Amino acid sequence: METSRVNLLDYDSAALAALLVEHGERGYRATQFIKWVHQQGVLDLAKMTNFGQALRDKLNEIGEIRLPEVINCFESTDGTMKWLLRVGNGAAIETVFIPEMDRGTLCVSSQVGCALNCSFCATAKQGFSRNLTTGEIIGQVWIAARHLGQHPKTQRRITNVVMMGMGEPLLNFDAVVPAMRLMLDDNAYNLGRKRVTLSTAGHVPGIERLRNECPVSLAVSLHAPNNPLRDELVPLNRTYPIAELLDACKRYVAENPHEHITFEYVMLDGINDTPEHARELVRILRGVPAKMNLIPYNPVVGADYRRSTPEAIDAFRRELSKAGLLTITRKTRGEDIDAACGQLVGQVQARSARQRKAQEELRA
Ligand code: SAH
């Protein structure tokens, strides 16, 4: 009986309205419910004061509100925060908040583990367990928003969400899109389309669907300027090679002349970081409205890479900038709590000591 009740967090506004109508209620109650839960942070039906007893009983019969459970919350010396969340059956996921002067970015997971097996990524090393539900995805935002709202320090508000946590969001499209609709919803998190970013390893059919169904900002993990190298680093490239991927990117921004794709590029010493790689990158990105994000590699247990030197990163950036490509180097944040790009895994406890050791080695 318990388990047959739906999770009311799995529904965006339109889907919740349809569900309520199906049960003989008025559709606008969905908006009210979403405001209570996501704007006010209220989960207790008894506190939803514009709902009569009959409606509360009905909602209670239809479903319940199930959130991931906070196992632990870590705070980095640089202010970055990370939550480890239990999502049932021994599985855990991570969510990261990155405060900056003028904004606060929440990095959200879409899957438990990942199936794509990128050679430099910690999440890949744990394999794929399952997709997250919409409720588990938006639940990460709910938990972080509540927690930050109670935080004593100021400037701790979520102004941006990036789907850059664990997993490949486009391989969990049907759960990710309703969660992003709630992020965009004025009655929920009210983030503009430019403030919600989905990052993909390059799943072309998913990019096409996203363009039609929920065109948020798009980031693409490029990491290499040619197919042989990209095949090795991002095995999904063997299915959707660079030319096809870049065509999909062009179509994604075609209707909006002011928009661009953000390309992520992990800087791996001696692998993809020479000036020649930069020039090759300039050539392939000709005609693609692009911004480049260089990400200094973060050490991962089981991967045999080194971070590019600051000089190599700088030379690479200058080569791209010289060609007119807007390029920034992403600042590494939250490294001391294993919250940096590519370091997220579910089972932190067992791995943390080794990870820390790997980082110490890197700094030495
Ligand atoms: N699967 C999606 C979402 C993950 S986003 C994607 O691939 O885009 C996480 C970003 O961190 C991706 O750009 C990923 O390639 C990058 N990343 C993975 N491992 C990393 C590492 N060890 N150091 C730096 N960046 C890494």
Side-chain angles (χ1 to χ4, degrees), residues 107-108 110-111 114 116 118-124 162-170 198-202 219-223 230 234 263-268 293 295-300 303 305 307 330 332 340-344 355:
C107 179
V108 168
S110 60
Q111 297 182 312
C114 187
L116 293 183
C118 297
S119 60
F120 47 83
C121 180
T123 309
V162 293
M163 298 301 303
M164 291 188 189
M166 295 161 61
E168 168 50 48
L170 291 181
L198 181 144
S199 179
T200 177
V220 172
S221 295
L222 193 56
H223 304 318
R230 193 162 191 271
V234 184
F263 290 97
E264 293 153 290
Y265 197 98
V266 63
M267 298 299 291
L268 304 169
N293 251 343
I295 314 176
Y297 168 69
N298 295 306
V300 159
Y305 297 108
R307 179 181 291 178
R330 206 181 271 179
T332 298
C341 297
Q343 292 190 317
L344 303 189
Q355 187 79 35

